[in-house]
Amino acid sequence: MKTFASLVVFFVITASVQAQDRIELVQYLDMETVSNPQLSPDGAEIIYTRGWIDKMEDRRASSLWIMDSDGAHNRFLIHGSSPRWSPDGTRYLYLADGEPSGRQVFVQWRTIAGPATQVTRLEQAPSNVRWSPDGKWIAFTAFVPGDKGWGINPPGKPEGAKWTTSPRVVEDLVYRRDRVGFYEPGYTHVFVVSAEGGTARQLTDGDWHHGRAGIAWTPDGSEILFSSLRTKDAPWAWRESEIYAVNVSSGDIRQLTTRRGPDSNPVVSPDGRMVAYTGYDFSDDTYIAQRLHVMNIDGSGSTVLTESLDRSPRGLIWQPDSEGVYFTANDHGTRNLYHVDLDGNVRPITQLNAMLSISSAVRGQFVGTYSDSYNTSQLVTLGVEEDSPQVLLDVNEDVLGHIDLGAIEEINYSSVDDLDIQGWIIKPPDFDADKKYPLILVIHGGPHGMYNVGFSFSWQYHAAQGYVVLYTNPRGSSGYGSDFGNAIKRAYPGKDYNDLMRGVDEVIARGYIDEDNLFVYGCSGGGVLTSWVVGQTDRFAAASANCPVTNWLSFVGTTDGASWYYNFDHLPWEDPSEHLRRSPLMHVGNVSTPTMLMTGVNDLRTPMSQTEEYYQALKLLKVPTAMIRFNGEYHGTTSKPSNYLRTQLYLHHWFKRHARDTDRAHM
């Protein structure tokens, strides 16, 4: 029984929450996610992954939940993630921590009580886990370690001596990756294991990676399709991959595609006659929209089905009669469901001002997740003849339901070359057009990314603190076609800067912006453009260039891969002039804007040295600056929940500290 004191505390806390009407930063820790919902083969139930923040361990955690297909009887199932129903619906598999360590595959019966069976006992975590059509086998990909060195051991080590750890021997072109660290020698291969458990059998071999973009069984269970590039010089091949099929019994591998350019994400039709996949003809353009192709199961008769769409299909799902394919695609800040028949006729199923992701379908019924400007991470269902989803679960209604969110307005304006640019404004709650508000311009990364109409806790928090928030999709953004995305080829940063400034001017012209208090920030490609912006204009009161590239000359040889060399007309040792011309560091002498830099200490994508070069130059020039080095972070500064909170706090501290007129800034 609750004591009187505990009841008083309860009522005080409840009253405090009910009185609150704006987002507070601490509420981020209560936000949940839903992902990867899977509809059972009989259409009766949905398993999904529910994520939350473990405040004690400073990490994101997940578990499996289950509900009826109409949303009833929603309940906790088991700790784990990545569920998949068996083809007959009697079992489901999932990933969870197991023996000897790390993530393992488990199988649980649907109606039989008792513990789950640990199917794998791997030293390397499995990925791309898929049931065989008969439910007897489970296929997956996993890393297979190779030779770890040259076998060199210095002589004379006394027993019990503590000598320095041996050097790391590196001989590969790509030897490290952000969020992974240094690669151990070895390659990813395709395996199968009995669904009842046992020893996994490796199907592929050789010094190539196999199936990292996904695998797919043929309906008769005889083969598994995957993408790879099984050629001698594969590490040096840029934008190249092919689709292969491995025979499950013999291990024989046949190649299905041969054209120059990347081919991946194979999905076999239900009748086993065709394969849908994505790819494009080779180009050195910086951005190319993927195309959806189909070919016969023997690799012949390849046809492009989405030539008319000029958007990148994702999440391919064959219709049951094998006469067409469903997929989602990003377009103008939204993501919707489409269908294409085998004659190439594309039609939208939904036309939502939202971000819709589909993860499972059974007999014309889809399940997925939904987010829009005011709602996030909802689990939804959608019929094939319906144009609007039904919400089955909103895991954040308890957090956001009583919050007064900032109103969001879409803007469209013309930039240089008469290019149409799309963006959005978030206004503070209780917005008054007769007042003056400080403005934050947020710049996305990529650079081929796309801001969208999905919910953003960060931007709503900025608005709750009294800022107007502007975010746009300048040229180079995805979701607007290949020409728009490729408009920054050999010219980044450049005219995309003008697109951003035109957006700022567009909002200022509305009369409610305090022009003395403009602020700007972005990460990755947004950090590139932020450091470029302050080298071109002093109109911003303060800036934060997060995880930036500031010197292309040093960046191309220190980032986690060699492909960035190809984004310039010449290699830097042949002609470095373009690398220098496009580097924000070469314009640092123009900077007077107080500019903070925030980067993860483990960042291998835009290494800390890029931040250090710019910081040192700003400091030498006596420009107000600060370098925030985030512990426990690779690329970005927000993967750890506590670091997400710190990122927002450092941003607001820097902007308030350098506001040109704090009285007018209304902070």
Side-chain angles (χ1 to χ4, degrees):
M1 179 180 294
K2 290 186 175 72
T3 66
F4 177 78
S6 65
L7 288 172
V8 169
V9 171
F10 172 80
F11 287 129
V12 169
I13 293 174
T14 303
S16 174
V17 171
Q18 290 176 340
Q20 180 181 321
D21 60 0
R22 292 195 181 198
I23 276 184
E24 293 187 0
L25 188 57
V26 69
Q27 291 174 304
Y28 176 77
L29 299 175
D30 296 323
M31 298 289 287
E32 296 184 76
T33 61
V34 294
S35 61
N36 197 28
Q38 297 289 314
L39 193 59
S40 62
D42 61 7
E45 293 181 302
I46 300 169
I47 293 179
Y48 66 95
T49 302
R50 186 163 181 162
W52 72 93
I53 290 175
D54 183 339
K55 302 174 188 178
M56 298 301 294
E57 298 296 328
D58 195 20
R59 65 185 180 93
R60 289 171 173 82
S62 66
S63 58
L64 299 185
W65 286 57
I66 191 169
M67 63 169 63
D68 296 347
S69 59
D70 61 0
H73 305 114
N74 182 42
R75 60 206 183 273
F76 170 81
L77 192 59
I78 199 167
H79 289 296
S81 64
S82 306
R84 289 271 175 173
W85 290 99
S86 63
D88 62 3
T90 60
R91 294 156 292 164
Y92 57 87
L93 63 76
Y94 63 95
L95 299 180
D97 290 340
E99 298 294 335
S101 64
R103 306 297 269 178
Q104 303 290 339
V105 179
F106 289 78
V107 169
Q108 177 70 62
W109 286 88
R110 184 178 185 181
T111 58
I112 300 176
T117 300
Q118 182 177 330
V119 172
T120 61
R121 296 183 183 275
L122 306 168
E123 294 183 2
Q124 303 288 335
S127 300
N128 302 307
V129 184
R130 299 291 184 269
W131 288 96
S132 65
D134 62 6
K136 295 180 179 179
W137 301 92
I138 296 171
F140 60 91
T141 60
F143 182 77
V144 177
D147 184 4
K148 292 188 176 182
W150 294 350
I152 292 177
N153 294 301
K157 182 180 180 181
E159 184 177 352
K162 297 180 180 179
W163 285 19
T164 301
T165 303
S166 299
R168 180 184 299 276
V169 178
V170 176
E171 294 188 281
D172 296 321
L173 176 66
V174 179
Y175 60 93
R176 58 183 182 173
R177 185 66 66 187
D178 194 69
R179 302 197 184 281
V180 175
F182 281 87
Y183 283 144
E184 295 298 328
Y187 296 90
T188 300
H189 288 286
V190 180
F191 293 78
V192 292
V193 66
S194 168
E196 295 181 354
T199 302
R201 178 163 56 95
Q202 183 176 330
L203 297 182
T204 59
D205 58 13
D207 293 343
W208 303 285
H209 292 294
H210 301 78
R212 293 200 292 185
I215 58 177
W217 289 85
T218 55
D220 63 4
S222 65
E223 292 183 306
I224 297 172
L225 275 64
F226 58 89
S227 63
S228 181
L229 188 61
R230 294 170 56 89
T231 62
K232 179 180 179 181
D233 294 328
W236 286 265
W238 181 43
R239 292 179 173 173
E240 285 289 347
S241 62
E242 306 294 352
I243 294 174
Y244 301 82
V246 58
N247 186 283
V248 176
S249 296
S250 67
D252 293 338
I253 294 176
R254 62 188 180 93
Q255 184 173 337
L256 277 68
T257 60
T258 57
R259 61 109 174 254
R260 188 184 181 200
D263 296 311
S264 61
N265 304 309
V267 182
V268 185
S269 62
D271 62 12
R273 295 187 304 108
M274 292 172 289
V275 180
Y277 62 100
T278 59
Y280 56 82
D281 293 332
F282 177 84
S283 170
D284 68 355
D285 288 349
T286 62
Y287 179 79
I288 311 100
Q290 298 273 346
R291 299 291 190 266
L292 192 161
H293 303 67
V294 293
M295 62 180 168
N296 295 321
I297 193 65
D298 63 1
S300 65
S302 177
T303 303
V304 178
L305 294 187
T306 59
E307 191 66 55
S308 63
L309 183 61
D310 197 23
R311 300 292 186 272
S312 294
R314 62 176 69 194
L316 312 184
I317 299 175
W318 279 94
Q319 66 185 65
D321 61 5
S322 301
E323 293 298 320
V325 180
Y326 296 97
F327 60 91
T328 58
N330 291 346
D331 177 48
H332 285 79
T334 68
R335 181 183 303 141
N336 278 280
L337 179 63
Y338 294 78
H339 176 268
V340 60
D341 62 26
L342 298 183
D343 293 324
N345 299 308
V346 180
R347 64 182 177 90
I349 302 298
T350 64
Q351 299 182 63
L352 306 166
N353 192 36
M355 298 295 289
L356 177 66
S357 295
I358 299 297
S359 53
S360 177
V362 172
R363 295 191 299 274
Q365 193 70 21
F366 301 93
V367 294
T369 58
Y370 172 100
S371 175
D372 62 27
S373 298
Y374 305 104
N375 300 281
T376 181
S377 210
Q378 295 179 328
L379 194 158
V380 298
T381 183
L382 177 75
V384 69
E385 299 300 329
E386 300 171 350
D387 58 8
S388 183
Q390 175 189 356
V391 177
L392 299 182
L393 177 66
D394 183 349
V395 293
N396 291 310
E397 195 279 333
D398 55 343
V399 179
L400 300 176
H402 63 285
I403 295 296
D404 184 11
L405 297 173
I408 299 176
E409 176 187 350
E410 180 181 327
I411 64 171
N412 292 274
Y413 57 92
S414 179
S415 186
V416 293
D417 304 325
D418 294 323
L419 200 65
D420 292 329
I421 306 297
Q422 182 185 29
W424 296 267
I425 303 167
I426 303 182
K427 301 170 184 175
D430 302 323
F431 173 77
D432 184 345
D434 293 328
K435 294 182 178 179
K436 297 288 188 179
Y437 295 88
L439 173 73
I440 293 179
L441 169 66
V442 191
I443 308 175
H444 73 61
H448 302 300
M450 183 190 80
Y451 277 152
N452 57 63
V453 298
F455 181 85
S456 170
F457 188 97
S458 301
W459 302 340
Q460 285 288 350
Y461 175 64
H462 296 336
Q465 295 297 301
Y467 294 94
V468 170
V469 182
L470 169 65
Y471 49 106
T472 73
N473 285 327
R475 70 191 67 204
S477 300
S478 57
Y480 300 86
S482 296
D483 290 344
F484 190 94
N486 195 49
I488 60 172
K489 180 180 181 180
R490 309 295 192 262
Y492 166 69
K495 292 180 180 178
D496 41 358
Y497 161 79
N498 300 100
D499 300 341
L500 295 167
M501 295 306 102
R502 291 284 181 93
V504 172
D505 294 337
E506 177 75 15
V507 182
I508 288 175
R510 298 174 181 231
Y512 49 75
I513 298 300
D514 177 2
E515 294 186 55
D516 290 332
N517 282 290
L518 309 178
F519 304 94
V520 57
Y521 80 91
C523 177
S524 193
V528 174
L529 276 164
T530 299
S531 55
W532 183 265
V533 164
V534 296
Q536 309 298 315
T537 180
D538 62 359
R539 72 189 304 189
F540 292 92
S544 184
N546 305 337
C547 34
V549 175
T550 61
N551 183 355
W552 293 111
L553 192 61
S554 57
F555 168 78
V556 290
T558 56
T559 189
D560 60 340
S563 62
W564 265 99
Y565 278 112
Y566 301 116
N567 287 313
F568 298 85
D569 281 327
H570 302 283
L571 294 170
W573 49 88
E574 295 173 348
D575 180 0
S577 58
E578 182 185 356
H579 295 73
L580 295 174
R581 184 179 70 253
R582 290 165 54 188
S583 292
L585 185 64
M586 296 300 104
H587 300 268
V588 73
N590 301 328
V591 178
S592 60
T593 304
T595 303
M596 179 173 65
L597 299 112
M598 298 197 290
T599 301
V601 297
N602 300 324
D603 195 328
L604 298 177
R605 184 64 44 80
T606 59
M608 180 63 78
S609 57
Q610 292 293 307
T611 289
E612 292 170 334
E613 284 190 65
Y614 205 70
Y615 170 80
Q616 196 83 325
L618 290 173
K619 206 67 181 175
L620 183 70
L621 297 172
K622 298 183 179 180
V623 176
T625 185
M627 177 170 53
I628 316 298
R629 305 169 69 96
F630 277 79
N631 295 313
E633 294 289 348
Y634 281 99
H635 190 51
T637 62
T638 61
S639 70
K640 300 284 187 182
S642 64
N643 282 340
Y644 174 90
L645 303 179
R646 292 184 180 104
T647 297
Q648 315 313 314
L649 293 171
Y650 281 124
L651 277 174
H652 287 192
H653 172 84
W654 188 253
F655 293 166
K656 291 177 182 179
R657 179 175 171 181
H658 294 285
R660 289 169 176 160
D661 183 345
T662 54
D663 290 336
R664 292 175 60 195
H666 299 288
M667 291 184 282

